[in-house]
C-alpha cells in the first residue's frame, strides 16, 4: 500500500512539474514522524524533473548527516528513477535523528529532510506511601524519562473498598518543593488523613504515545513511621553497667524499640523490647570498664504483635563506664629476662597492658619476687653433683606461701616496662608482673609466672646465632641459629636501642623444629633495634624454663662487604713445634654493613701447602706440627655464606727450637741447679735455701700429682673449653729425635658420663658413639702405649702430649684444636 501511494505522489509531482515548469524538486515524507520503540515506519522520497532537465541520477538517503545509509537496520528500496523508500523495523531510541533525501545535480545536490523521533510509551508508574507518626501521609513516585516526549503522572484516590472512575478524587496537596509526591494532612477537612480507613491510590501516566496506570490498596496505619524518641539520656552506672531513659514519640501506641550500642572496641550489641509506656527505662550490663559507648535507639509500630511499617529515625547518645582494676596482667614471656654481671642481676621485661584489658589508665606496676628454698636435684641440665637448687614443686604450695615468700617492688611510671633486681645465682626465682589503675590492683588475678632458674638449671643456648638484612630490604630481618636438642621453643626479641629510647621489647615465638625466622618491621631499621634470642626447655621435673635473652652481636648485611683479617700477629707458644696467630676484623658498629663471616681459611706453606678452617667467631689459631728451623708462609682469607675474600699474605715466620720452652713441671732439681750455675749465680746460703725450697715444693707437687693420678685410676682429665661435638682424640709422643702420632684406641678412652655410654665400640673417630657430645671435660685412662712406639727404649724420658681435636668428621685432614697440651711423665 505504501508503495502504491509512493507511485501516486510521484505522478502528482510530474503533473505539477509540467503545469508550473519546475525544473527539479525533491520531497520526503512523512514530516517529523513520532513512533514508539519497537514499531516500524516507511519514509519515502520522490524526485520531480522536466524533460529538458532529465538526468539518470537517482535519489538516496543520508542519516544524521553522515554518508549514505548502510546500517542493516535500515532497508532502502528503489521503486523507479524518481522514487525511493526507506524501511525501518523494530525501531530503537538510538535511531532517532534527521533523515535526508539527496539528489546529485551537476556540482551540487538537492535535498529534503525529516526528523524521526523514537520514544518509549509511558511505563507503569511505581510509588509508595508513608504515614509520619499517624499524622500526615505522603505518597511519592519515580519520575519517568520522557526521551524527548514529556510524560505526566497524576495521582487519584478514593476511600471505598472498590474502585470506579466516578469516585476518584485528585491529590489534595501536591508538594511544591518535592516533585512527584502528594500529601494528606491531619486536620484538612474532607481531605484529612484517616489512618484506619482503606484507601485506593491510582497513579496514571500519559504521553503522546499512550498511557498506563498502577493501583495501590492500603490502610495508612500499616505504613506508619513513628517520630524519633524524645529526651534520650544515658549514663554509666558503675564500671560494667549503664542506664538509658527516653520519652515515647506517641503515647498509648504499642512500639517495638531497637537499642543498638557499640564500644570503641567494636563490640556491637542489640537489645529489642516492646512498650507502650510514656516514659521508658533500660539497663545495659556486662560492659567494659573505662570504655566509650555509643547508643542508637529507633522504633517501629507493633501491630498484632509484629513490627509493621517503617523504623523511625534513630536518636544517639554516649557515655563512658567507670574505671576498674585491670582485667589481665601485662604480657610476659618465659624468656623475657636478661642476666647481667654473671647472673648477679636480672633485668625483667614486660609489655604495656592493652587498653582493652587495662580498664583504665595504668599508673604503676607491681613486681612480686619469690626466692624459692625448696629444690629437687632433678631440675638440672648439668650433672648430679651440681648444686641441688631447683624450683618450687607445686602451684598450690606456691600460692599458699605467697604472703611469707613474696617481696614486692613497684614501678611508679607507666611508660617503664623493665626492672633490674639483685639475685643469687645459686637460687631460683618466681616473678610476676601486675598493673594497677586508680581503682587499684586486681587481687583476684593469678598472673603468669616467669621462672628465673638457678645457674645449674639454665637451658643450653645455641652455639651459633646471627641476624642479617639487605641494603635494599632494610626493615626485613633474617635469623639463623644452631639447633638446641633440648629446646621446646625459641623466642626472638626486638628491643629499642638508643639513649633516648624507652627500654621496651617485643617478641615472637618460634617452633622448636625451626632454626630460621623472618621479621618484617615497617618503619624500623637496625640502627634503632637490638635483637635477642632465648631458648625455652622443659626441666626433668616438667617445669618450663628459659635461658633468658641473649643478644645478637651485630646485624650483618647479606650483600655487604666481606671483612678482611687485619692486625695479624704471631707469637711463640710454650709448646714446641707450634705457633699462635691472632687477627682482628672491623667490628665497630652494631649495624655492621659487612657480611657475616662464617669461617676463616688459614693456608700454611713450606715445601707444600695445606689449609686449616677456623670458625668465623675465632680470632686466633694455634698451629701444631711445624718443623723446627723451618720458615713458613702464612695466608688468611674470610668466607661468607656464598662469597669469599682474597688471601691476605703475612710475614714469613720461622719456628724456633723447643728447648726455649721446656716446661718447668718436668725440670728436676739437678737441672735447676745446673741452670743456676750456668748463669753464674753465686751459690750462697740463700741460694741453697732457695733451691732446697724449690726442691721441696716440687717434691710436694709430685707427690700430690701422683696421689691424684692414682686415686683417679691413673686418669688424665682434659678440660675442653667449648661445648662442641667430639670428633677424635689424638696422642702425640715426642722424644726429641722422633715424633709419632696415633689415635686413641677404644681401650684408652673412658667416656663415662657422656651420653650414658660406659665404654666405646666402633671406629677410632667415635662417630657411632653419640650423635652429639656436649662435654665439659673428657677423661683418658692411662695406657702403656709406648711399647709399640719407635722410642720404646726411651719411654721413661718421654713426655706425652694429649689434646682433643674437634672438627668435621669427614674432614680429618684439618681438625680444629680446642684444648691445650697437657704434659705428663710416663713411668
Amino acid at each position: 500500500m505504501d508503495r502504491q501511494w509512493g507511485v501516486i505522489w510521484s505522478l502528482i509531482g510530474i503533473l505539477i512539474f509540467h503545469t508550473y515548469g519546475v525544473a527539479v524538486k525533491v520531497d520526503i515524507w512523512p514530516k517529523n514522524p513520532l513512533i514508539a520503540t519497537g514499531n516500524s515506519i516507511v519514509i519515502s522520497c520522490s524526485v520531480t524533473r522536466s524533460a529538458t532537465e532529465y538526468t539518470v541520477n537517482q535519489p538516496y538517503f543520508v542519516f544524521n548527516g553522515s554518508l549514505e545509509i548502510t546500517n542493516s537496520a535500515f532497508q532502502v528500496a528503489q521503486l523507479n528513477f524518481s522514487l525511493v523508500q526507506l524501511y525501518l523495523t523494530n525501531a530503537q531510541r538510538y535511531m532517532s535523528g534527521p533523515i535526508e533525501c539527496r539528489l546529485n545535480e551537476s556540482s551540487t545536490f538537492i535535498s529534503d529532510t525529516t526528523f524521526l523521533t523514537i520514544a518509549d510509551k509511558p511505563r507503569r508508574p511505581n510509588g509508595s506511601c508513608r504515614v509520619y507518626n499517624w499524622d500526615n501521609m505522603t505518597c511519592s513516585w519515580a519520575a519517568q524519562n520522557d526521551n524527548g516526549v514529556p510524560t505526566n503522572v497524576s495521582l487519584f484516590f478514593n476511600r471505598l473498598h472498590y474502585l470506579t472512575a466516578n469516585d476518584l478524587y485528585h491529590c489534595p496537596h501536591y508538594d511544591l518543593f518535592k516533585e512527584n509526591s502528594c500529601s494528606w494532612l491531619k486536620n484538612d477537612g474532607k481531605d484529612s488523613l484517616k489512618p484506619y480507613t482503606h484507601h485506593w491510590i491510582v497513579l496514571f501516566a500519559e504521553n503522546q504515545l499512550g498511557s498506563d496506570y498502577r493501583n495501590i490498596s492500603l490502610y495508612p496505619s500499616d505504613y506508619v513511621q513513628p517520630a524519633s524518641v524524645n529526651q534520650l539520656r544515658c549514663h554509666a552506672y558503675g564500671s560494667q553497667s549503664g542506664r538509658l531513659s527516653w520519652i515515647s514519640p506517641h503515647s498509648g501506641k504499642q512500639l517495638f524499640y531497637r537499642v543498638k550500642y557499640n564500644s570503641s572496641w567494636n563490640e556491637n550489641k542489640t537489645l529489642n523490647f516492646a512498650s507502650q509506656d510514656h516514659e521508658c527505662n533500660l539497663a545495659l550490663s556486662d560492659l567494659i570498664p573505662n570504655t566509650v559507648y555509643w547508643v542508637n535507639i529507633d522504633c517501629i509500630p507493633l501491630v498484632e504483635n509484629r513490627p509493621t511499617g517503617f523504623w523511625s529515625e534513630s536518636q544517639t547518645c554516649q557515655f563512658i563506664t567507670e574505671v576498674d582494676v585491670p582485667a589481665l596482667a601485662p604480657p610476659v614471656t618465659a624468656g623475657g629476662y636478661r642476666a647481667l654481671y654473671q647472673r648477679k642481676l636480672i633485668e625483667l621485661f614486660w609489655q604495656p597492658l592493652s587498653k582493652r584489658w587495662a580498664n583504665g589508665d595504668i599508673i604503676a606496676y607491681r613486681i612480686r619476687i619469690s626466692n624459692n628454698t625448696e629444690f629437687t636435684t632433678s631440675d638440672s641440665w648439668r650433672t648430679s653433683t651440681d648444686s641441688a637448687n631447683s624450683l618450687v614443686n607445686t602451684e598450690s604450695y606456691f600460692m599458699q606461701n605467697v604472703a611469707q615468700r613474696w617481696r614486692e617492688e613497684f614501678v611508679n611510671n607507666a611508660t617503664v616496662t623493665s626492672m633490674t633486681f639483685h639475685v643469687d645465682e645459686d637460687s631460683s626465682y618466681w616473678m610476676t608482673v601486675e598493673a594497677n589503675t586508680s581503682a587499684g590492683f586486681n587481687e583476684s588475678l593469678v598472673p603468669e609466672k616467669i621462672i628465673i632458674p638457678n645457674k645449674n638449671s639454665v637451658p643450653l643456648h645455641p652455639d651459633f646465632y646471627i641476624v642479617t638484612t639487605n641494603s635494599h630490604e632494610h626493615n626485613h630481618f633474617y635469623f639463623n641459629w644452631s639447633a638446641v636438642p633440648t629446646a621446646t621453643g625459641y623466642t626472638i626479641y626486638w628491643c629499642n636501642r638508643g639513649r633516648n629510647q624507652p627500654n621496651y621489647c617485643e617478641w615472637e615465638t618460634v617452633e622448636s623444629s625451626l632454626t630460621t625466622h623472618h621479621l618484617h618491621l615497617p618503619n624500623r631499621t637496625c640502627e634503632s633495634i637490638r635483637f635477642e634470642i632465648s631458648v625455652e626447655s622443659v626441666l626433668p621435673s616438667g617445669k618450663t624454663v628459659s635461658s633468658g635473652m641473649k643478644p645478637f652481636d651485630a646485624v650483618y648485611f647479606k650483600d655487604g662487604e666481606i671483612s678482611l683479617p687485619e692486625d695479624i700477629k704471631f707469637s711463640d707458644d710454650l709448646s714446641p713445634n707450634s705457633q699462635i696467630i691472632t687477627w682482628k676484623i672491623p667490628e665497630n658498629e652494631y649495624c655492621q654493613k659487612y657480611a657475616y663471616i662464617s669461617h676463616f681459611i688459614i693456608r700454611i706453606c713450606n715445601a707444600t701447602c695445606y689449609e686449616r678452617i677456623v670458625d668465623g667467631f675465632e680470632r686466633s689459631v694455634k698451629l701444631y706440627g711445624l718443623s723446627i728451623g723451618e720458615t713458613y708462609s702464612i695466608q688468611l682469607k674470610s668466607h661468607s655464606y656464598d662469597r669469599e675474600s682474597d688471601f691476605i699474605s703475612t710475614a714469613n715466620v720461622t719456628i724456633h727450637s723447643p728447648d726455649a720452652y721446656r716446661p718447668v713441671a718436668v725440670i728436676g732439681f739437678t737441672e735447676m741447679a745446673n741452670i743456676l750455675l750456668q748463669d753464674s749465680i753465686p751459690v750462697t746460703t740463700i741460694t741453697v735455701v732457695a733451691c732446697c725450697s724449690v726442691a721441696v715444693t716440687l717434691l710436694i707437687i709430685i707427690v700430690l700429682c701422683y696421689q691424684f693420678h692414682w686415686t683417679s685410676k691413673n686418669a688424665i682429665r682434659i678440660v675442653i673449653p667449648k661445648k662442641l661435638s667430639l670428633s677424635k682424640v689424638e696422642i702425640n709422643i715426642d722424644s726429641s729425635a722422633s715424633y709419632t702420632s696415633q689415635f686413641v684406641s677404644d681401650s684408652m678412652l673412658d667416656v663415662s658420663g657422656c651420653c650414658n655410654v660406659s665404654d666405646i665400640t666402633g671406629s677410632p673417630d667415635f662417630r657411632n658413639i653419640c650423635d652429639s657430645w656436649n662435654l665439659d671435660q673428657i677423661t683418658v685412662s692411662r695406657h702403656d702405649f709406648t711399647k709399640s712406639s719407635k722410642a720404646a727404649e726411651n719411654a721413661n724420658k718421654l713426655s706425652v702430649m694429649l689434646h682433643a681435636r674437634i672438627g668435621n668428621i669427614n674432614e680429618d685432614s684439618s681438625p680444629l684444636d680446642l684444648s691445650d697440651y697437657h704434659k705428663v711423665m710416663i713411668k
Side-chain angles (χ1 to χ4, degrees):
M1 186 67 180
D2 291 333
R3 295 188 179 185
Q4 293 175 357
W5 277 107
V7 173
I8 294 171
W9 282 109
S10 179
L11 294 175
I12 293 172
I14 294 172
L15 179 61
I16 294 172
F17 166 75
H18 286 288
T19 302
Y20 297 99
V22 178
V24 178
K25 184 179 180 181
V26 176
D27 292 297
I28 188 170
W29 69 91
K31 291 294 185 180
N32 302 326
L34 171 64
I35 64 172
T37 303
N39 289 354
S40 301
I41 190 173
V42 176
I43 298 176
S44 300
C45 178
S46 64
V47 178
T48 304
R49 302 181 179 88
S50 66
T52 58
E53 296 293 336
Y54 178 78
T55 176
V56 295
N57 292 338
Q58 295 180 349
Y60 60 92
F61 289 103
V62 174
F63 176 71
N64 210 17
S66 300
L67 297 177
E68 186 174 356
I69 292 177
T70 58
N71 193 320
S72 60
F74 296 91
Q75 295 181 3
V76 179
Q78 186 75 41
L79 300 182
N80 53 50
F81 70 93
S82 61
L83 179 63
V84 62
Q85 290 183 331
L86 177 67
Y87 298 91
L88 175 61
T89 59
N90 191 22
Q92 300 298 318
R93 285 165 45 190
Y94 73 88
M95 299 177 183
S96 296
I99 296 178
E100 185 179 8
C101 181
R102 292 181 180 179
L103 177 66
N104 294 331
E105 286 292 326
S106 300
S107 60
T108 183
F109 61 84
I110 303 172
S111 68
D112 192 15
T113 303
T114 186
F115 193 95
L116 175 61
T117 301
I118 304 172
D120 295 329
K121 292 181 179 180
R123 297 186 305 275
R124 178 170 295 182
N126 291 319
S128 62
C129 299
R130 181 172 300 191
V131 178
Y132 182 73
N133 205 35
W134 292 272
D135 295 334
N136 305 318
M137 181 171 73
T138 299
C139 293
S140 58
W141 55 90
Q144 296 196 21
N145 189 354
D146 56 24
N147 302 312
V149 180
T151 300
N152 297 320
V153 180
S154 302
L155 182 144
F156 304 91
F157 79 100
N158 72 19
R159 297 191 179 98
L160 302 176
H161 288 277
Y162 55 89
L163 185 62
T164 63
N166 295 329
D167 296 323
L168 290 177
Y169 300 94
H170 287 279
C171 168
H173 300 284
Y174 282 107
D175 195 331
L176 299 179
F177 302 99
K178 181 180 179 182
E179 296 182 357
N180 309 315
S181 66
C182 176
S183 298
W184 289 259
L185 306 180
K186 181 177 182 181
N187 298 311
D188 195 24
K190 66 181 182 63
D191 293 327
S192 298
L193 175 65
K194 298 179 180 180
Y196 300 99
T197 300
H198 182 269
H199 284 63
W200 280 103
I201 306 294
V202 179
L203 295 175
F204 186 81
E206 183 181 20
N207 65 15
Q208 291 176 257
L209 297 173
S211 64
D212 202 349
Y213 67 93
R214 180 181 296 276
N215 292 330
I216 302 174
S217 175
L218 59 85
Y219 281 91
S221 58
D222 292 339
Y223 295 87
V224 174
Q225 179 185 23
S228 302
V229 300
N230 301 314
Q231 301 179 28
L232 175 61
R233 295 183 176 88
C234 55
H235 62 275
Y237 187 76
S239 62
Q240 301 183 41
S241 301
R243 294 288 186 267
L244 308 178
S245 65
W246 65 90
I247 302 299
S248 171
H250 201 294
S251 299
K253 297 294 185 182
Q254 185 80 0
L255 295 176
F256 185 79
Y257 293 97
R258 178 173 60 185
V259 180
K260 297 180 179 179
Y261 59 100
N262 64 294
S263 70
S264 50
W265 310 113
N266 294 323
E267 180 189 32
N268 300 315
K269 294 184 179 181
T270 301
L271 291 177
N272 298 318
F273 73 99
S275 175
Q276 60 182 5
D277 295 338
H278 174 69
E279 184 175 350
C280 300
N281 296 278
L282 181 65
L284 304 179
S285 58
D286 297 327
L287 305 182
I288 301 173
N290 194 47
T291 299
V292 177
Y293 280 88
W294 292 270
V295 180
N296 290 272
I297 300 180
D298 53 9
C299 59
I300 192 172
L302 198 63
V303 178
E304 297 179 355
N305 294 322
R306 62 182 179 86
T308 304
F310 301 92
W311 288 100
S312 69
E313 294 184 0
S314 63
Q315 290 292 305
T316 303
C317 66
Q318 71 178 47
F319 64 94
I320 303 176
T321 51
E322 296 179 5
V323 174
D324 202 349
V325 297
L328 297 176
V332 296
T333 185
Y337 70 91
R338 184 187 297 132
L340 307 173
Y341 301 106
Q342 291 78 43
R343 298 187 64 81
K344 294 181 180 179
L345 290 177
I346 292 293
E347 187 176 13
L348 183 67
F349 291 89
W350 61 90
Q351 289 184 348
L353 186 58
S354 167
K355 290 186 177 181
R356 168 62 181 84
W357 308 107
N359 294 342
D361 292 333
I362 300 300
I363 58 177
Y365 295 100
R366 178 174 66 187
I367 294 87
R368 284 178 168 173
I369 308 166
S370 174
N371 182 3
N372 299 292
T373 57
E374 294 192 3
F375 306 98
T376 62
T377 57
S378 63
D379 288 338
S380 175
W381 297 105
R382 311 307 178 201
T383 65
S384 59
T385 59
D386 289 331
S387 176
N389 293 339
S390 70
L391 306 176
V392 171
N393 292 323
T394 63
E395 180 90 1
S396 60
Y397 179 87
F398 172 79
M399 295 305 299
Q400 292 171 4
N401 293 270
V402 165
Q404 293 78 16
R405 304 171 67 83
W406 281 125
R407 87 171 190 265
E408 295 181 344
E409 300 286 348
F410 292 89
V411 177
N412 295 317
N413 186 343
T415 63
V416 175
T417 56
S418 65
M419 190 173 187
T420 303
F421 309 90
H422 288 275
V423 295
D424 179 4
E425 64 177 358
D426 293 322
S427 299
S428 299
Y429 296 85
W430 294 90
M431 293 187 181
T432 63
V433 181
E434 300 168 81
N436 80 318
T437 63
S438 58
F441 288 97
N442 189 347
E443 301 298 347
S444 64
L445 188 66
V446 180
E448 182 179 354
K449 303 171 186 66
I450 302 175
I451 300 175
I452 311 295
N454 60 60
K455 64 180 181 181
N456 299 308
S457 300
V458 177
L460 300 174
H461 206 70
D463 295 316
F464 160 84
Y465 50 100
I466 66 166
V467 54
T468 58
T469 186
N470 293 316
S471 59
H472 60 280
E473 294 181 323
H474 59 276
N475 51 19
H476 288 262
F477 301 93
Y478 303 86
F479 300 83
N480 294 269
W481 60 89
S482 57
V484 177
T486 57
T488 58
Y490 305 92
T491 305
I492 300 295
Y493 304 83
W494 58 99
C495 308
N496 289 337
R497 187 167 65 92
R499 293 184 178 180
N500 298 325
Q501 296 293 327
N503 198 11
Y504 171 71
C505 296
E506 298 178 79
W507 52 77
E508 281 188 8
T509 57
V510 183
E511 296 179 5
S512 60
S513 60
L514 302 177
T515 56
T516 61
H517 191 60
H518 167 241
L519 274 181
H520 179 209
L521 303 177
N523 304 320
R524 302 293 297 271
T525 61
C526 67
E527 285 81 7
S528 63
I529 307 175
R530 181 184 68 252
F531 293 104
E532 307 197 30
I533 186 173
S534 68
V535 180
E536 284 68 58
S537 300
V538 177
L539 292 171
S541 63
K543 303 178 182 70
T544 298
V545 295
S546 175
S547 64
M549 301 161 61
K550 305 292 183 182
F552 289 85
D553 294 333
V555 177
Y556 297 92
F557 281 67
K558 291 184 178 181
D559 53 354
E561 180 183 353
I562 299 180
S563 303
L564 299 177
E566 58 185 28
D567 195 17
I568 302 173
K569 296 180 180 179
F570 297 90
S571 60
D572 293 326
D573 184 42
L574 294 179
S575 302
N577 305 80
S578 65
Q579 189 73 207
I580 296 177
I581 304 174
T582 62
W583 62 90
K584 298 179 181 179
I585 62 172
E587 294 180 353
N588 297 324
E589 298 179 356
Y590 184 76
C591 296
Q592 289 286 342
K593 308 297 183 184
Y594 291 101
Y596 175 74
I597 303 302
S598 59
H599 61 278
F600 297 97
I601 294 183
I602 316 296
R603 176 179 290 176
I604 305 100
C605 296
N606 188 3
T608 60
C609 295
Y610 67 95
E611 294 180 349
R612 290 281 303 274
I613 299 176
V614 181
D615 280 339
F617 57 80
E618 297 288 356
R619 297 296 179 267
S620 66
V621 65
K622 185 185 295 185
L623 303 178
Y624 297 108
L626 305 179
S627 300
I628 300 173
E630 294 289 336
T631 298
Y632 292 86
S633 171
I634 310 295
Q635 294 179 315
L636 288 83
K637 72 175 177 180
S638 306
H639 260 263
S640 183
Y641 289 112
D642 53 357
R643 294 174 294 154
E644 64 181 21
S645 70
D646 297 329
F647 272 109
I648 303 298
S649 299
T650 65
N652 295 337
V653 59
T654 301
I655 307 305
H656 301 289
S657 172
D659 293 340
Y661 309 104
R662 295 181 63 188
V664 177
V666 297
I667 298 180
F669 177 81
T670 305
E671 291 174 316
M672 177 65 73
N674 291 335
I675 291 175
L676 294 175
L677 291 174
Q678 291 172 3
D679 291 340
S680 301
I681 301 176
V683 182
T684 62
T685 303
I686 297 177
T687 304
V688 174
V689 171
C691 292
C692 292
S693 299
V694 172
V696 172
T697 302
L698 292 176
L699 181 61
I700 294 173
I701 293 174
I702 292 172
V703 170
L704 292 176
C705 290
Y706 180 82
Q707 183 177 3
F708 174 80
H709 178 71
W710 179 260
T711 57
S712 61
K713 299 182 180 180
N714 300 329
I716 303 169
R717 179 158 296 205
I718 304 171
V719 177
I720 299 176
K722 292 184 179 292
K723 301 179 182 66
L724 296 175
S725 300
L726 178 63
S727 174
K728 36 180 85 175
V729 177
E730 185 177 3
I731 295 180
N732 298 318
I733 305 172
D734 187 6
S735 116
S736 298
S738 64
Y739 177 86
T740 62
S741 176
Q742 66 184 53
F743 290 119
V744 178
S745 65
D746 54 359
S747 63
M748 296 166 61
L749 189 62
D750 175 18
V751 291
S752 57
C754 167
C755 294
N756 298 321
V757 177
S758 57
D759 93 23
I760 293 177
T761 59
S763 58
D765 62 8
F766 313 129
R767 71 183 66 191
N768 296 322
I769 301 174
C770 301
D771 291 335
S772 178
W773 287 17
N774 292 311
L775 302 177
D776 288 327
Q777 55 193 9
I778 185 171
T779 301
V780 180
S781 301
R782 182 177 183 278
H783 183 76
D784 189 7
F785 50 81
T786 59
K787 294 180 180 179
S788 61
S789 68
K790 296 181 180 180
E793 65 277 12
N794 297 322
N796 292 336
K797 297 182 181 180
L798 295 180
S799 63
V800 178
M801 292 176 289
L802 183 65
H803 67 281
R805 285 177 177 254
I806 313 298
N808 190 331
I809 293 176
N810 298 322
E811 296 181 5
D812 296 336
S813 61
S814 57
L816 302 177
D817 297 326
L818 296 179
S819 66
D820 297 328
Y821 282 98
H822 293 259
K823 296 188 177 183
V824 296
M825 296 300 298
I826 303 298
K827 297 296 184 180

